[in-house]
Amino acid sequence: LRLEQAQQESSEFASELPAHQAAFSKELAETSRQLCERIESSISSVREDVVEHCDRQLQALSAQAHADAQARHALDQAVWQHLSDEAAARADVQESLTSALAAERGERSAECQQISSLIRGVVDREREA
């Protein structure tokens, strides 16, 4: 009797098995579809986060490049101004030295002419004597 009951249960289970397999397959397919949707949503979200992060980094780098360019321009202007000031100062010094040298030459020339006149005077007196 037990054997007969077990065979009947086995037969009932075997007859219900295709329905259970179909339900399981359907549930598995739905779970798989939902999992794929979650994965795609996560990938999309991560992609958006990465794009936003890259945009922020690009903006920061662009701002830094702009600031660097402004600093470089200011430094170039300062160097140019320093070189211009230095050239003007050298020109002033050169002009002063040239004027001083010309004055010195004039004084030396006048002294030489006085000495030359004195020598001529001495020579002329010696000839007369």
Side-chain angles (χ1 to χ4, degrees):
L1 182 63
R2 283 189 178 174
L3 179 61
E4 204 175 286
Q5 189 179 11
Q7 285 176 342
Q8 186 177 359
E9 285 178 5
S10 176
S11 176
E12 286 176 10
F13 181 76
S15 68
E16 293 174 359
L17 186 59
H20 287 299
Q21 286 176 334
F24 178 75
S25 292
K26 185 176 178 183
E27 189 177 320
L28 182 61
E30 179 61 20
T31 302
S32 178
R33 183 190 64 74
Q34 289 175 356
L35 185 58
C36 286
E37 285 177 358
R38 286 186 203 155
I39 290 171
E40 288 174 3
S41 175
S42 292
I43 288 172
S44 179
S45 177
V46 167
R47 184 180 297 127
E48 289 172 7
D49 290 348
V50 167
V51 167
E52 288 175 11
H53 176 74
C54 289
D55 283 346
R56 285 192 302 273
Q57 289 292 341
L58 183 60
Q59 289 173 358
L61 289 172
S62 179
Q64 184 62 45
H66 182 69
D68 289 349
Q70 287 180 327
R72 208 171 19 255
H73 179 69
L75 180 61
D76 288 346
Q77 285 183 326
V79 167
W80 180 255
Q81 186 62 50
H82 174 73
L83 292 175
S84 295
D85 293 348
E86 189 175 304
R90 285 183 182 189
D92 289 346
V93 168
Q94 185 176 1
E95 185 178 324
S96 296
L97 290 175
T98 301
S99 296
L101 185 58
E104 183 72 26
R105 283 184 184 158
E107 289 175 14
R108 296 285 181 242
S109 178
E111 288 174 0
C112 286
Q113 286 176 358
Q114 286 177 353
I115 292 172
S116 181
S117 291
L118 289 174
I119 291 173
R120 269 192 233 121
V122 170
V123 169
D124 287 344
R125 279 189 224 134
E126 282 184 10
R127 279 191 199 152
E128 290 176 5

